[in-house]
Amino acid sequence: MSDSNIEERVKKIVVEHLGVEEEKVANDASFIDDLGADSLDTVELVMAFEEEFGVEIPDDAAETILTVGDAVRFLGKSTA
Amino acid sequence: MFSLQNRRALVTGASGGIGSAIAQGLHAQGATVALSGTRQEALAALAEKLGERTHILAADLADAEAVDALVGRAEEAMGGLDILVNNAGLTRDGLSMRMSDADWEIVIKVNLEAAFRLSRAALRSMMRQRFGRIIGITSVVGVTGNPGQANYAASKAGMIGMSKALAQEVATRSVTVNCVAPGFIESAMTDAINDKLRESILAKIPAARLGRGEEIAAAVVYLASDEAAYVTGQTLHVNGGMAMI
Ligand SMILES: NC(=O)c1ccc[n+]([C@@H]2O[C@H](COP(=O)([O-])OP(=O)(O)OC[C@H]3O[C@@H](n4cnc5c(N)ncnc54)[C@H](OP(=O)(O)O)[C@@H]3O)[C@@H](O)[C@H]2O)c1
Protein backbone atom coordinates (compact mmCIF):
# COMPACT_ATOMS: atom_id res chain seq x y z
CA MET A 1 0.00 0.00 0.00
CA SER A 2 1.41 3.41 -0.92
CA ASP A 3 1.97 5.95 1.82
CA SER A 4 -0.15 8.60 0.12
CA ASN A 5 -3.05 6.18 -0.06
CA ILE A 6 -2.72 5.48 3.66
CA GLU A 7 -2.49 9.18 4.38
CA GLU A 8 -5.65 9.85 2.41
CA ARG A 9 -7.61 7.17 4.24
CA VAL A 10 -6.34 8.28 7.65
CA LYS A 11 -7.30 11.88 6.96
CA LYS A 12 -10.74 10.88 5.74
CA ILE A 13 -11.38 9.02 9.01
CA VAL A 14 -10.14 11.97 11.07
CA VAL A 15 -12.38 14.38 9.18
CA GLU A 16 -15.40 12.11 9.59
CA HIS A 17 -14.88 11.36 13.28
CA LEU A 18 -13.84 14.76 14.54
CA GLY A 19 -15.98 16.80 12.18
CA VAL A 20 -13.05 19.09 11.34
CA GLU A 21 -12.21 20.74 8.03
CA GLU A 22 -9.91 18.85 5.74
CA GLU A 23 -7.37 21.68 5.52
CA LYS A 24 -6.80 21.47 9.26
CA VAL A 25 -5.82 17.81 9.13
CA ALA A 26 -2.10 18.36 8.51
CA ASN A 27 0.48 15.69 9.22
CA ASP A 28 1.77 17.46 12.29
CA ALA A 29 -1.70 18.23 13.67
CA SER A 30 -2.21 16.83 17.16
CA PHE A 31 -5.58 15.16 17.65
CA ILE A 32 -6.06 16.66 21.08
CA ASP A 33 -4.24 20.03 20.89
CA ASP A 34 -5.04 21.04 17.31
CA LEU A 35 -8.13 19.11 16.30
CA GLY A 36 -10.17 19.37 19.49
CA ALA A 37 -10.35 15.66 20.26
CA ASP A 38 -10.96 14.42 23.80
CA SER A 39 -9.72 11.12 25.18
CA LEU A 40 -12.84 9.29 24.02
CA ASP A 41 -12.35 10.63 20.50
CA THR A 42 -8.83 9.22 20.40
CA VAL A 43 -10.14 5.80 21.43
CA GLU A 44 -12.78 6.00 18.72
CA LEU A 45 -10.17 7.05 16.16
CA VAL A 46 -7.90 4.15 17.01
CA MET A 47 -10.85 1.74 16.69
CA ALA A 48 -11.77 3.30 13.35
CA PHE A 49 -8.17 2.87 12.11
CA GLU A 50 -8.23 -0.75 13.21
CA GLU A 51 -11.43 -1.34 11.32
CA GLU A 52 -10.35 0.48 8.15
CA PHE A 53 -6.91 -1.12 7.93
CA GLY A 54 -7.72 -4.54 9.42
CA VAL A 55 -4.96 -4.30 12.02
CA GLU A 56 -4.85 -4.47 15.78
CA ILE A 57 -3.35 -1.49 17.58
CA PRO A 58 -2.26 -2.45 21.10
CA ASP A 59 -2.77 0.11 23.87
CA ASP A 60 0.92 0.93 24.26
CA ALA A 61 1.17 1.64 20.54
CA ALA A 62 -2.05 3.66 20.59
CA GLU A 63 -0.54 5.91 23.24
CA THR A 64 2.22 6.93 20.83
CA ILE A 65 -0.22 7.97 18.11
CA LEU A 66 -0.70 11.64 18.93
CA THR A 67 -0.73 13.28 15.52
CA VAL A 68 -2.10 12.53 12.08
CA GLY A 69 1.44 11.78 10.92
CA ASP A 70 1.96 9.32 13.80
CA ALA A 71 -1.09 7.40 12.62
CA VAL A 72 0.06 7.38 8.99
CA ARG A 73 3.51 6.13 9.98
CA PHE A 74 2.19 3.44 12.32
CA LEU A 75 -0.32 2.15 9.81
CA GLY A 76 2.24 2.27 7.02
CA LYS A 77 4.50 -0.01 9.03
CA SER A 78 1.83 -2.39 10.23
CA THR A 79 0.19 -2.87 6.83
CA ALA A 80 3.48 -3.12 4.92
CA MET B 1 -43.96 12.40 26.82
CA PHE B 2 -41.89 9.23 26.72
CA SER B 3 -42.38 8.56 23.01
CA LEU B 4 -39.95 6.03 21.58
CA GLN B 5 -40.99 6.57 17.98
CA ASN B 6 -38.18 5.60 15.57
CA ARG B 7 -36.09 4.14 18.37
CA ARG B 8 -34.61 0.68 17.94
CA ALA B 9 -34.31 -1.53 21.02
CA LEU B 10 -32.68 -4.88 21.77
CA VAL B 11 -34.17 -6.69 24.79
CA THR B 12 -32.44 -9.80 26.12
CA GLY B 13 -34.50 -12.31 28.06
CA ALA B 14 -37.58 -11.22 26.09
CA SER B 15 -38.90 -14.78 26.37
CA GLY B 16 -39.20 -14.36 30.14
CA GLY B 17 -41.79 -12.68 32.33
CA ILE B 18 -40.19 -9.29 32.93
CA GLY B 19 -38.42 -9.16 29.56
CA SER B 20 -41.62 -9.69 27.61
CA ALA B 21 -43.29 -6.91 29.62
CA ILE B 22 -40.33 -4.63 28.86
CA ALA B 23 -40.47 -5.44 25.14
CA GLN B 24 -44.19 -4.74 25.11
CA GLY B 25 -43.74 -1.47 26.97
CA LEU B 26 -41.05 -0.20 24.58
CA HIS B 27 -43.06 -1.34 21.58
CA ALA B 28 -46.20 0.39 22.85
CA GLN B 29 -44.28 3.67 22.92
CA GLY B 30 -43.42 3.23 19.27
CA ALA B 31 -40.02 1.51 19.36
CA THR B 32 -38.94 -1.24 17.02
CA VAL B 33 -37.86 -4.18 19.17
CA ALA B 34 -35.44 -7.06 18.70
CA LEU B 35 -36.45 -9.92 20.99
CA SER B 36 -33.68 -12.17 22.26
CA GLY B 37 -33.68 -15.35 24.33
CA THR B 38 -33.04 -19.04 23.79
CA ARG B 39 -36.65 -20.29 23.56
CA GLN B 40 -37.69 -19.69 19.96
CA GLU B 41 -41.37 -20.49 20.52
CA ALA B 42 -41.74 -17.98 23.33
CA LEU B 43 -40.05 -15.30 21.25
CA ALA B 44 -42.20 -16.12 18.23
CA ALA B 45 -45.37 -15.96 20.32
CA LEU B 46 -44.44 -12.53 21.63
CA ALA B 47 -43.50 -11.29 18.16
CA GLU B 48 -46.85 -12.44 16.87
CA LYS B 49 -48.66 -10.67 19.68
CA LEU B 50 -46.81 -7.41 19.00
CA GLY B 51 -47.14 -7.51 15.22
CA GLU B 52 -45.03 -5.16 13.15
CA ARG B 53 -41.75 -3.55 14.28
CA THR B 54 -40.45 -6.79 15.81
CA HIS B 55 -37.46 -9.03 15.11
CA ILE B 56 -36.52 -12.35 16.67
CA LEU B 57 -32.84 -12.87 17.48
CA ALA B 58 -32.26 -16.09 19.39
CA ALA B 59 -28.92 -16.29 21.22
CA ASP B 60 -27.41 -18.25 24.10
CA LEU B 61 -25.79 -15.67 26.35
CA ALA B 62 -23.58 -18.30 27.97
CA ASP B 63 -21.77 -18.50 24.62
CA ALA B 64 -19.36 -15.56 24.34
CA GLU B 65 -19.19 -15.76 20.56
CA ALA B 66 -22.96 -15.63 20.25
CA VAL B 67 -23.02 -12.70 22.65
CA ASP B 68 -20.43 -10.78 20.64
CA ALA B 69 -22.43 -11.31 17.46
CA LEU B 70 -25.81 -10.30 18.89
CA VAL B 71 -25.52 -6.50 18.74
CA GLY B 72 -24.33 -6.65 15.14
CA ARG B 73 -27.30 -8.83 14.25
CA ALA B 74 -29.67 -6.38 15.93
CA GLU B 75 -28.10 -3.43 14.12
CA GLU B 76 -28.41 -5.22 10.84
CA ALA B 77 -32.03 -6.21 11.42
CA MET B 78 -33.16 -2.76 12.56
CA GLY B 79 -30.72 -0.48 10.76
CA GLY B 80 -29.07 0.54 14.04
CA LEU B 81 -29.49 0.36 17.79
CA ASP B 82 -30.60 3.08 20.21
CA ILE B 83 -31.66 1.15 23.31
CA LEU B 84 -30.08 -1.95 24.87
CA VAL B 85 -31.90 -3.64 27.73
CA ASN B 86 -29.76 -6.22 29.51
CA ASN B 87 -32.55 -8.16 31.15
CA ALA B 88 -31.65 -11.84 30.70
CA GLY B 89 -30.71 -13.44 33.97
CA LEU B 90 -30.73 -16.69 35.85
CA THR B 91 -30.30 -17.99 39.39
CA ARG B 92 -28.39 -21.01 40.72
CA ASP B 93 -29.06 -20.68 44.43
CA GLY B 94 -27.20 -22.45 47.20
CA LEU B 95 -25.34 -21.63 50.38
CA SER B 96 -21.84 -20.45 49.59
CA MET B 97 -20.07 -23.24 51.43
CA ARG B 98 -21.74 -25.71 49.09
CA MET B 99 -21.79 -23.64 45.92
CA SER B 100 -20.09 -25.30 42.94
CA ASP B 101 -17.71 -23.49 40.61
CA ALA B 102 -20.13 -24.16 37.78
CA ASP B 103 -23.01 -22.45 39.58
CA TRP B 104 -20.86 -19.44 40.34
CA GLU B 105 -19.53 -19.18 36.80
CA ILE B 106 -22.74 -19.51 34.83
CA VAL B 107 -24.51 -16.83 36.86
CA ILE B 108 -21.62 -14.35 36.48
CA LYS B 109 -21.31 -15.23 32.82
CA VAL B 110 -24.93 -14.74 31.80
CA ASN B 111 -25.98 -12.00 34.23
CA LEU B 112 -22.84 -9.86 34.24
CA GLU B 113 -20.33 -10.76 31.55
CA ALA B 114 -22.89 -10.94 28.75
CA ALA B 115 -24.24 -7.56 29.83
CA PHE B 116 -20.74 -6.11 29.59
CA ARG B 117 -20.02 -7.65 26.20
CA LEU B 118 -23.33 -6.44 24.77
CA SER B 119 -22.83 -2.95 26.20
CA ARG B 120 -19.29 -2.76 24.80
CA ALA B 121 -20.51 -3.74 21.36
CA ALA B 122 -23.51 -1.40 21.47
CA LEU B 123 -21.41 1.59 22.53
CA ARG B 124 -19.57 1.68 19.21
CA SER B 125 -22.55 2.87 17.22
CA MET B 126 -24.18 4.72 20.13
CA MET B 127 -21.08 6.88 20.55
CA ARG B 128 -20.97 7.59 16.86
CA GLN B 129 -24.64 8.51 16.62
CA ARG B 130 -24.44 10.59 19.79
CA PHE B 131 -27.41 8.85 21.35
CA GLY B 132 -27.88 5.69 23.33
CA ARG B 133 -29.63 4.13 26.28
CA ILE B 134 -28.22 1.13 28.10
CA ILE B 135 -30.47 -0.24 30.83
CA GLY B 136 -29.54 -3.15 33.07
CA ILE B 137 -32.13 -5.12 35.01
CA THR B 138 -30.42 -5.73 38.31
CA SER B 139 -32.14 -6.69 41.57
CA VAL B 140 -32.78 -5.39 45.06
CA VAL B 141 -30.63 -8.36 46.11
CA GLY B 142 -27.61 -6.74 44.43
CA VAL B 143 -27.79 -4.01 47.06
CA THR B 144 -29.13 -5.85 50.13
CA GLY B 145 -27.64 -9.33 49.61
CA ASN B 146 -29.61 -12.49 50.21
CA PRO B 147 -28.51 -15.78 51.80
CA GLY B 148 -28.15 -18.52 49.22
CA GLN B 149 -27.51 -16.06 46.40
CA ALA B 150 -23.84 -15.09 46.63
CA ASN B 151 -23.39 -15.64 42.90
CA TYR B 152 -26.59 -13.84 41.93
CA ALA B 153 -26.06 -10.93 44.34
CA ALA B 154 -22.49 -10.52 43.05
CA SER B 155 -23.69 -10.46 39.45
CA LYS B 156 -26.38 -7.89 40.19
CA ALA B 157 -24.13 -5.68 42.33
CA GLY B 158 -21.53 -5.99 39.59
CA MET B 159 -24.00 -4.74 37.06
CA ILE B 160 -24.66 -1.62 39.13
CA GLY B 161 -20.94 -0.83 39.50
CA MET B 162 -20.28 -1.51 35.85
CA SER B 163 -23.13 0.77 34.81
CA LYS B 164 -21.77 3.62 36.91
CA ALA B 165 -18.34 3.27 35.30
CA LEU B 166 -19.76 3.08 31.77
CA ALA B 167 -22.06 6.01 32.49
CA GLN B 168 -19.07 8.22 33.33
CA GLU B 169 -17.13 7.11 30.27
CA VAL B 170 -19.80 7.96 27.71
CA ALA B 171 -21.87 10.76 29.24
CA THR B 172 -20.46 13.44 26.92
CA ARG B 173 -21.89 11.53 23.96
CA SER B 174 -25.51 11.63 25.15
CA VAL B 175 -25.39 7.96 25.99
CA THR B 176 -26.87 7.12 29.38
CA VAL B 177 -26.36 3.93 31.37
CA ASN B 178 -28.76 3.08 34.18
CA CYS B 179 -30.22 0.15 36.09
CA VAL B 180 -33.68 -0.84 37.21
CA ALA B 181 -33.77 -2.95 40.37
CA PRO B 182 -36.96 -4.97 40.80
CA GLY B 183 -38.02 -6.31 44.17
CA PHE B 184 -40.36 -9.32 44.17
CA ILE B 185 -42.18 -9.47 40.85
CA GLU B 186 -45.03 -11.84 39.95
CA SER B 187 -43.68 -14.59 37.68
CA ALA B 188 -43.86 -18.29 37.06
CA MET B 189 -41.29 -18.57 39.82
CA THR B 190 -43.15 -16.53 42.41
CA ASP B 191 -46.47 -18.21 41.49
CA ALA B 192 -45.00 -21.49 42.68
CA ILE B 193 -44.19 -20.15 46.16
CA ASN B 194 -46.27 -21.72 48.93
CA ASP B 195 -48.70 -19.62 50.99
CA LYS B 196 -46.59 -19.53 54.11
CA LEU B 197 -43.52 -18.25 52.33
CA ARG B 198 -45.66 -15.81 50.35
CA GLU B 199 -47.01 -14.37 53.60
CA SER B 200 -43.58 -13.92 55.07
CA ILE B 201 -42.43 -12.17 51.89
CA LEU B 202 -45.46 -9.88 51.84
CA ALA B 203 -44.87 -8.93 55.47
CA LYS B 204 -41.61 -7.27 54.36
CA ILE B 205 -43.19 -5.27 51.56
CA PRO B 206 -44.90 -2.04 52.63
CA ALA B 207 -47.10 -2.15 49.52
CA ALA B 208 -48.21 -5.64 50.71
CA ARG B 209 -48.23 -7.13 47.23
CA LEU B 210 -45.81 -8.38 44.62
CA GLY B 211 -44.93 -6.13 41.70
CA ARG B 212 -45.96 -6.67 38.10
CA GLY B 213 -43.78 -6.91 35.01
CA GLU B 214 -45.44 -3.82 33.58
CA GLU B 215 -44.26 -1.84 36.58
CA ILE B 216 -40.67 -2.73 35.69
CA ALA B 217 -41.37 -1.97 32.03
CA ALA B 218 -42.62 1.52 32.94
CA ALA B 219 -39.31 2.30 34.66
CA VAL B 220 -37.41 1.06 31.60
CA VAL B 221 -39.55 3.16 29.25
CA TYR B 222 -38.79 6.23 31.33
CA LEU B 223 -35.03 5.64 31.34
CA ALA B 224 -35.09 4.94 27.58
CA SER B 225 -36.97 8.14 26.80
CA ASP B 226 -35.57 11.49 25.69
CA GLU B 227 -37.01 12.94 28.88
CA ALA B 228 -34.50 10.95 30.96
CA ALA B 229 -31.49 12.42 29.13
CA TYR B 230 -30.05 13.91 32.34
CA VAL B 231 -30.37 10.70 34.37
CA THR B 232 -27.29 8.50 34.20
CA GLY B 233 -25.43 6.05 36.43
CA GLN B 234 -28.54 5.60 38.55
CA THR B 235 -30.42 2.60 39.85
CA LEU B 236 -34.17 2.98 39.96
CA HIS B 237 -35.62 0.67 42.63
CA VAL B 238 -39.10 -0.67 41.90
CA ASN B 239 -39.92 -2.79 44.92
CA GLY B 240 -43.08 -1.63 46.71
CA GLY B 241 -40.92 -0.10 49.41
CA MET B 242 -39.29 -3.33 50.60
CA ALA B 243 -35.88 -1.64 50.63
CA MET B 244 -35.46 2.12 50.63
CA ILE B 245 -31.94 2.68 49.34
N1 LIG C 1 -38.87 -11.99 39.03
C1 LIG C 1 -38.35 -11.26 39.98
O1 LIG C 1 -38.94 -11.16 41.06
C2 LIG C 1 -37.06 -10.53 39.78
C3 LIG C 1 -36.58 -9.74 40.81
C4 LIG C 1 -35.40 -9.01 40.65
C5 LIG C 1 -34.70 -9.10 39.45
N2 LIG C 1 -35.18 -9.89 38.45
C6 LIG C 1 -34.39 -9.94 37.21
O2 LIG C 1 -35.22 -9.66 36.11
C7 LIG C 1 -34.71 -10.32 34.95
C8 LIG C 1 -35.83 -11.11 34.28
O3 LIG C 1 -36.31 -12.06 35.19
P1 LIG C 1 -37.72 -12.82 35.05
O4 LIG C 1 -38.36 -12.78 36.37
O5 LIG C 1 -38.44 -12.33 33.88
O6 LIG C 1 -37.17 -14.32 34.84
P2 LIG C 1 -37.50 -15.40 33.70
O7 LIG C 1 -38.94 -15.38 33.38
O8 LIG C 1 -36.87 -16.64 34.18
O9 LIG C 1 -36.71 -14.83 32.45
C9 LIG C 1 -35.31 -14.92 32.35
C10 LIG C 1 -34.94 -14.59 30.93
O10 LIG C 1 -33.51 -14.69 30.79
C11 LIG C 1 -33.22 -15.46 29.67
N3 LIG C 1 -31.99 -16.25 29.82
C12 LIG C 1 -31.61 -17.00 30.88
N4 LIG C 1 -30.46 -17.64 30.58
C13 LIG C 1 -30.13 -17.31 29.32
C14 LIG C 1 -29.08 -17.67 28.43
N5 LIG C 1 -28.08 -18.52 28.77
N6 LIG C 1 -29.07 -17.14 27.20
C15 LIG C 1 -30.04 -16.28 26.80
N7 LIG C 1 -31.05 -15.91 27.59
C16 LIG C 1 -31.10 -16.42 28.82
C17 LIG C 1 -34.37 -16.39 29.50
O11 LIG C 1 -34.44 -16.79 28.14
P3 LIG C 1 -34.87 -18.30 27.71
O12 LIG C 1 -35.88 -18.73 28.71
O13 LIG C 1 -35.39 -18.11 26.32
O14 LIG C 1 -33.60 -19.07 27.78
C18 LIG C 1 -35.54 -15.55 29.93
O15 LIG C 1 -36.05 -14.83 28.82
C19 LIG C 1 -33.57 -11.19 35.43
O16 LIG C 1 -32.33 -10.53 35.16
C20 LIG C 1 -33.80 -11.29 36.92
O17 LIG C 1 -32.59 -11.51 37.61
C21 LIG C 1 -36.33 -10.62 38.60
Side-chain angles (χ1 to χ4, degrees):
Chain A
M1 209 179 313
S2 79
D3 279 0
S4 64
N5 183 10
I6 292 178
E7 189 173 322
E8 230 168 77
R9 286 158 71 193
V10 165
K11 288 186 173 171
K12 185 158 172 273
I13 288 174
V14 174
V15 167
E16 263 169 30
H17 272 264
L18 300 181
V20 289
E21 280 157 38
E22 219 173 321
E23 304 86 78
K24 282 199 171 164
V25 187
N27 273 337
D28 60 355
S30 149
F31 296 124
I32 290 179
D33 296 333
D34 301 319
L35 302 175
D38 64 15
S39 62
L40 266 183
D41 288 318
T42 60
V43 171
E44 282 188 272
L45 276 176
V46 164
M47 290 172 76
F49 294 146
E50 289 180 330
E51 217 164 274
E52 168 76 17
F53 293 92
V55 297
E56 206 168 302
I57 306 178
D59 282 348
D60 51 346
E63 279 165 23
T64 67
I65 301 178
L66 305 174
T67 67
V68 176
D70 291 342
V72 174
R73 269 188 300 280
F74 179 87
L75 292 162
K77 265 187 274 163
S78 55
T79 57
Chain B
M1 290 234 273
F2 313 127
S3 165
L4 299 176
Q5 211 81 41
N6 299 323
R7 295 290 185 213
R8 298 151 299 188
L10 167 61
V11 181
T12 67
S15 46
I18 293 176
S20 76
I22 291 170
Q24 291 179 67
L26 296 173
H27 188 266
Q29 296 308 108
T32 297
V33 290
L35 311 170
S36 195
T38 66
R39 284 175 299 127
Q40 281 277 4
E41 329 77 70
L43 296 173
L46 178 59
E48 190 170 341
K49 185 173 168 191
L50 294 179
E52 57 186 12
R53 290 184 281 114
T54 56
H55 300 268
I56 298 173
L57 299 176
D60 178 2
L61 299 188
D63 172 356
E65 253 173 65
V67 176
D68 287 341
L70 182 57
V71 164
R73 289 167 64 203
E75 288 172 343
E76 200 173 297
M78 300 187 289
L81 183 65
D82 305 297
I83 302 163
L84 167 65
V85 184
N86 285 311
N87 163 76
L90 49 82
T91 54
R92 291 285 184 275
D93 297 354
L95 292 177
S96 297
M97 281 185 299
R98 305 274 304 158
M99 185 174 286
S100 68
D101 290 355
D103 283 350
W104 171 266
E105 277 160 21
I106 186 74
V107 169
I108 298 296
K109 195 160 196 156
V110 172
N111 296 12
L112 181 59
E113 189 184 317
F116 173 69
R117 287 175 175 275
L118 294 173
S119 302
R120 180 174 62 187
L123 280 175
R124 289 195 87 147
S125 61
M126 289 179 177
M127 303 276 288
R128 216 166 282 172
Q129 73 194 10
R130 298 289 192 267
F131 180 88
R133 297 282 186 266
I134 296 178
I135 300 162
I137 306 306
T138 171
S139 167
V140 62
V141 162
V143 179
T144 63
N146 197 28
Q149 294 197 308
N151 49 1
Y152 182 76
S155 74
K156 295 301 188 182
M159 180 177 247
I160 293 173
M162 172 182 81
S163 299
K164 290 178 179 177
L166 292 181
Q168 293 179 42
E169 289 179 12
V170 300
T172 55
R173 302 301 196 269
S174 305
V175 177
T176 68
V177 187
N178 290 288
C179 290
V180 174
F184 277 101
I185 305 301
E186 284 169 7
S187 67
M189 201 166 35
T190 49
D191 286 348
I193 291 175
N194 66 45
D195 285 351
K196 203 165 154 228
L197 183 57
R198 175 175 292 263
E199 250 170 59
S200 77
I201 290 170
L202 290 181
K204 294 188 197 126
I205 305 174
R209 64 171 178 87
L210 301 186
R212 288 179 288 113
E214 304 88 86
E215 292 173 315
I216 304 306
V220 173
V221 164
Y222 167 63
L223 291 172
S225 71
D226 287 2
E227 283 77 3
Y230 204 50
V231 178
T232 195
Q234 304 301 315
T235 297
L236 181 45
H237 288 268
V238 182
N239 61 27
M242 76 176 273
M244 302 190 181
I245 33 190

